[in-house]
């Protein structure tokens, strides 16, 4: 397997990979690890033609912005074409990336890693209805996004959920490598639960500070370091975490500020309302999977403690 078991001890040949589920805190995680902790990231921006490294024939890290210490690897790990290029250039073998981000966790895991260079998977998860409602309102105003949907402003949430939302059972389908327009059923749910249980360190968007501390322990990031504590406070020590896109880093200063300030305030459907019931019905597999992830989050506490103990043993 190319993804490491959550029970396997740290290995110097492994690379952490973060599954970025839309509207689940992934961009905040990128900024925490890349901008604040200054880790070298592989995501989408590294292969942007504007930086001049999209035709490179070997893996390198570079600083895209003169005024920032942010470091990127010259690949795009969010598209199938970009992932195949990262594989061809030997991203995992190079160990240049401290952390890889992808929205296509199945394809990335199957192609970036191999038997000798495996990936350890992390992800933030969010209640499926909360995620979809946030997406619905966010894309109405997010002019900086390629998926900007101003026409959704004229729709009610119920109308959108009934006829315009093609993003159903996102987690189950993505874990198994299905397209969003593919069918998914009970067998897929069972398979997704097993993969999550064995291969994913899970975090919850409603407990991001605890989640990121756990991720740090597993990745070997020192939570007691003053810089780490300051970064956690800055990015996760808030009642509400703004979630915007990587695209905001390529915008003008004014639009970047708007993107960073966008906390996507909106109304939430009440439980058992027509909107809530419809979204729950059409995302029933993800609803069950999310309940399972909540149980796993509690169960993984002792696994993370084992990682802490291993690190103490190595130091001593």
């Amino acid at each position: 397997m190319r993804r490491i078991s959550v029970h396997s001890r740290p290995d110097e040949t492994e690379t952490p990979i973060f599954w970025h589920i839309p509207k689940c805190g992934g961009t905040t995680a990128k900024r925490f690890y890349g901008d604040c902790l200054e880790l070298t990231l592989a995501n989408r921006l590294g292969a942007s033609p504007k930086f001049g490294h999209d035709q490179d024939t070997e893996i390198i890290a570079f600083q895209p912005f003169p005024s920032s210490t942010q470091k990127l690897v010259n690949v795009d790990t969010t598209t199938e074409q970009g992932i195949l290029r990262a594989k061809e250039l030997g991203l995992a073998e190079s160990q240049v990336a401290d952390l890889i981000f992808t929205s296509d966790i199945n394809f990335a895991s199957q192609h970036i890693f191999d038997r000798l260079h495996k990936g350890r998977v992390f992800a933030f998860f969010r209640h499926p209805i909360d995620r979809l409602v946030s997406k619905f309102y966010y894309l109405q105003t997010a002019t900086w996004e390629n998926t900007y949907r101003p026409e959704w402003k004229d729709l009610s949430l119920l109308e959108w959920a009934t006829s315009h939302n093609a993003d159903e059972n996102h987690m189950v389908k993505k874990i198994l490598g299905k397209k969003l327009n593919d069918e998914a059923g009970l067998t897929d749910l069972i398979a997704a639960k097993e993969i999550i249980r064995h291969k994913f360190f899970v975090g919850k968007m409603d407990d991001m500070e605890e989640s990121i501390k756990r991720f740090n322990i597993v990745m070997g990031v020192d939570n007691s370091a003053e810089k780490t504590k300051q970064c956690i406070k800055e990015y996760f020590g808030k009642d509400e975490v703004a979630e915007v896109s990587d695209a905001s880093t390529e915008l003008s200063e004014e639009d970047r500020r708007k993107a960073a300030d966008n906390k996507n305030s909106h109304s939430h459907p009440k439980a058992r309302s027509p909107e809530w019931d419809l979204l729950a019905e059409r995302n029933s597999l993800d609803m069950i999977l999310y309940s399972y992830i909540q149980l796993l989050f509690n169960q993984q506490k002792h696994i993370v403690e084992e990682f802490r103990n291993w690190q103490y043993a190595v130091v001593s």
Side-chain angles (χ1 to χ4, degrees):
M1 293 295 291
R2 295 169 180 177
R3 289 178 289 208
I4 301 172
S5 166
V6 295
H7 297 283
S8 297
R9 292 195 175 201
D11 187 305
E12 62 181 10
T13 64
E14 71 183 54
T15 303
I17 182 167
F18 194 105
W19 179 24
H20 185 172
I21 306 169
K23 306 307 298 173
C24 287
T27 299
T28 304
K30 288 188 186 78
R31 291 175 172 170
F32 169 77
Y33 285 116
D35 295 350
C36 202
L37 290 187
E38 300 179 358
L39 300 188
T40 299
L41 305 185
N43 50 36
R44 180 178 60 83
L45 286 180
S48 174
K50 69 179 293 182
F51 299 127
H53 293 287
D54 55 310
Q55 301 299 320
D56 289 351
T57 57
E58 62 181 6
I59 293 290
I60 65 165
F62 67 97
Q63 290 185 223
F65 306 109
S67 60
S68 171
T69 57
Q70 179 186 26
K71 297 183 291 294
L72 299 176
V73 183
N74 57 334
V75 293
D76 177 358
T77 51
T78 66
T79 67
E80 290 189 358
Q81 181 180 356
I83 289 167
L84 291 176
R85 176 173 174 267
K87 173 188 177 181
E88 181 180 350
L89 296 183
L91 174 61
E93 299 96 303
S94 73
Q95 296 191 292
V96 171
D98 296 315
L99 180 58
I100 298 169
F101 281 84
T102 187
S103 53
D104 196 342
I105 189 61
N106 182 282
F107 194 86
S109 298
Q110 292 298 321
H111 291 86
I112 291 176
F113 304 109
D114 58 33
R115 185 174 57 85
L116 298 177
H117 306 89
K118 298 181 180 182
R120 192 179 293 277
V121 187
F122 304 83
F124 283 139
F125 295 91
R126 186 179 190 179
H127 191 286
I129 294 179
D130 290 343
R131 187 187 77 81
L132 286 167
V133 172
S134 177
K135 174 183 175 179
F136 168 63
Y137 287 107
Y138 172 71
L139 289 180
Q140 295 177 21
T141 61
T143 56
W144 49 89
E145 295 280 8
N146 293 332
T147 51
Y148 172 48
R149 292 292 184 270
E151 65 273 17
W152 288 359
K153 292 180 181 179
D154 299 325
L155 301 174
S156 69
L157 178 60
L158 183 59
E159 289 172 330
W160 176 77
T162 302
S163 304
H164 298 270
N165 177 34
D167 185 9
E168 295 175 346
N169 290 311
H170 182 104
M171 294 189 297
V172 169
K173 291 177 182 178
K174 283 292 188 178
I175 290 169
L176 298 181
K178 289 176 172 281
K179 303 299 183 184
L180 290 180
N181 59 356
D182 289 342
E183 295 293 325
L186 183 59
T187 302
D188 299 308
L189 172 63
I190 294 170
K193 289 172 71 174
E194 283 300 290
I195 292 171
I196 288 278
R197 181 167 71 93
H198 289 291
K199 303 295 184 180
F200 281 63
F201 278 97
V202 302
K204 299 196 303 175
M205 198 170 172
D206 60 2
D207 199 354
M208 293 182 79
E209 184 172 350
E210 170 64 18
S211 300
I212 207 72
K213 287 179 179 178
R214 291 186 185 187
F215 294 171
N216 289 346
I217 290 170
V218 177
M219 286 192 280
V221 175
D222 186 1
N223 281 325
S224 66
E226 192 59 37
K227 183 171 185 177
T228 306
K229 290 192 288 186
Q230 291 174 353
C231 290
I232 289 174
K233 182 178 180 180
E234 178 180 352
Y235 284 84
F236 301 106
K238 308 172 186 176
D239 292 334
E240 184 176 8
V241 177
E243 173 65 1
V244 296
S245 165
D246 285 338
S248 63
T249 60
E250 301 183 41
L251 303 173
S252 67
E253 188 63 33
E254 180 179 357
D255 284 343
R256 191 182 307 169
R257 176 183 53 77
K258 291 178 181 178
D261 289 344
N262 181 11
K263 295 182 174 59
N264 191 18
S265 298
H266 55 75
S267 60
H268 292 267
K270 294 181 180 179
R272 315 314 305 176
S273 66
E275 297 89 345
W276 198 97
D277 283 346
L278 181 60
L279 287 169
E281 177 186 352
R282 294 194 175 182
N283 294 273
S284 58
L285 302 180
D286 271 11
M287 294 285 283
I288 296 170
L289 183 61
Y290 181 72
S291 294
Y292 183 66
I293 287 167
Q294 289 182 297
L295 295 176
L296 280 182
F297 183 76
N298 295 329
Q299 294 172 4
Q300 286 187 350
K301 184 175 182 179
H302 79 276
I303 300 177
V304 175
E305 284 301 314
E306 290 178 0
F307 274 79
R308 191 199 304 271
N309 293 336
W310 289 333
Q311 291 166 2
Y312 285 156
V314 170
V315 172
S316 60

